[in-house]
Every structure is written in structure tokens, then in C-alpha cells.
Amino acid sequence: MRIMFVITQLSPAGAEKIVSVLACSYQAQAEECLVLSLMPPPEKGFTSVVEKLEKSGVKVRFLYGKSSPASFLPLIFKICKAVKEFVPDVIHAHLIHPSLLCRFACLFNKI
């Protein structure tokens, strides 16, 4: 099974740690996982979540979005592209913005 996790960013915080635990657990069970971050990578010193994911073999991808409503449409198209490339069986979005943007991306991809 291919699982795509979508989250706003990967700085070490609550939701990010949950995504990390879930993705690493699924990856250990021979599932293929991708964690998609809407924002750029965290600053140096705040990369523990990214390091844990990569060490476990989870693919991590950053979309380099901005935190303004004007960037939402480009992010939807970037999510669509990531979905077409990864072809997930499940998309698991965390927090409000990823959830809303993934709903639109799924409409465009007929998922």
C-alpha cells in the first residue's frame, strides 16, 4: 500500500511528531510512504522530524508554499502533481490547510 501524508510543515511540534510516528510505523511494515510538506524544510536545528523520517526510509518532499491565501491555488496544483507521481492508495492529511487543499486536489485527480 502506498500512503501519502500531507502536513503544513515539518518543524518538531505535535502534529508533525504524529505524522512521523505513523509514517515510520507504516514504512516498517513494508508500506511505501511519502510525507508531503506544504512549506519549505525547517531551519537548521529544527530538522529532527525530517531526519527521523529519512532514517526510516520514508520519502519526504517539500512544496515550498507560502502562508498566504494567494499561494493556495499553486499548492493545489503541486499536490495534484505529487499525487500523479506517487499514485497513493491513501492520502492522510493533517491540520486544516492540508485537509482543505487535498480535498481540492482530489477533485482534480478524481480521487
Side-chain angles (χ1 to χ4, degrees):
M1 180 179 290
R2 297 169 65 86
I3 306 168
M4 177 185 281
F5 294 91
V6 185
I7 190 153
T8 309
Q9 61 183 358
L10 284 174
S11 297
E16 294 78 6
K17 289 179 182 176
I18 290 169
V19 166
S20 174
V21 168
L22 287 172
C24 291
S25 296
Y26 285 125
Q27 188 76 28
Q29 296 174 27
E31 308 295 351
E32 191 172 352
C33 297
L34 168 69
V35 175
L36 195 63
S37 172
L38 302 182
M39 298 295 159
E43 296 177 15
K44 291 188 182 210
F46 296 99
T47 58
S48 60
V49 174
V50 176
E51 291 167 358
K52 180 180 179 183
L53 289 165
E54 290 175 342
K55 188 176 182 180
S56 296
V58 176
K59 296 174 186 170
V60 180
R61 185 168 167 194
F62 298 94
L63 298 184
Y64 292 88
K66 297 179 178 127
S67 58
S68 69
S71 74
F72 290 171
L73 189 58
L75 277 173
I76 291 170
F77 290 116
K78 287 180 180 181
I79 294 169
C80 287
K81 183 179 178 187
V83 167
K84 286 179 184 175
E85 290 172 359
F86 186 67
V87 191
D89 296 307
V90 175
I91 299 175
H92 193 171
H94 296 262
L95 303 173
I96 187 72
H97 293 105
S99 295
L100 292 172
L101 295 174
C102 281
R103 285 178 185 249
F104 287 112
C106 287
L107 287 173
F108 290 127
N109 283 310
K110 298 179 183 172
I111 294 175

